[in-house]
Amino acid sequence: MSATLIHSELGATALLAGVATVFAIGECVHAVVLGPLVADLAPPHLLGRYISLYSLMGTGGLALGPAIGGAVLATSPDAVWWGGALVAAVIGAGFLLSGDRIPEPLAVEAGIPDVEEGPRAATQATN
């Protein structure tokens, strides 16, 4: 929206460079954090499978995304945005429906409060 309000080539170039810089920093942070997170969440005997599946999802998205996006964009330019919003809404609803289903050993390792203390507090209150 703001790019259409800029009537200067220099200003539009500066805006594009700024947005590209923000995206690049976000991708750097994402790459640094997500790899170790996958390794931490994987059970030791499935570590290789988790990491290879994580890598496959990244490269698969880079390979299939432009092809699918191009086909959808050729059909309707608005369909890309509505489709992306629909996918984001479905994924968000899935996370909300999953609730607090983090397995207890992972929750304790992650330092989530009151997971380990719940049963002990209840037994201490009754004694």
Side-chain angles (χ1 to χ4, degrees), residues 26-42 46-62:
E27 286 181 1
C28 290
V29 171
H30 174 266
V32 168
V33 171
L34 197 54
L37 179 65
V38 170
D40 285 345
L41 292 176
L46 295 175
L47 182 62
R49 289 184 187 179
Y50 272 60
I51 292 174
S52 64
L53 186 61
Y54 162 67
S55 298
L56 179 65
M57 292 299 109
T59 55
L62 288 172

Side-chain angles (χ1 to χ4, degrees), residues 81-91:
W81 300 108
W82 287 110
L86 178 65
V87 168
V90 168
I91 291 172

Side-chain angles (χ1 to χ4, degrees), residues 4-104:
T4 60
L5 299 176
I6 298 174
H7 299 293
S8 161
E9 286 184 23
L10 181 61
T13 303
L15 178 66
L16 179 63
V19 169
T21 302
V22 169
F23 269 89
I25 291 171
E27 286 181 1
C28 290
V29 171
H30 174 266
V32 168
V33 171
L34 197 54
L37 179 65
V38 170
D40 285 345
L41 292 176
H45 66 284
L46 295 175
L47 182 62
R49 289 184 187 179
Y50 272 60
I51 292 174
S52 64
L53 186 61
Y54 162 67
S55 298
L56 179 65
M57 292 299 109
T59 55
L62 288 172
L64 295 176
I68 294 171
V72 172
L73 188 61
T75 304
S76 169
D78 290 339
V80 173
W81 300 108
W82 287 110
L86 178 65
V87 168
V90 168
I91 291 172
F95 278 126
L96 288 174
L97 291 174
S98 69
D100 57 350
R101 294 185 184 169
I102 298 174
E104 188 172 329

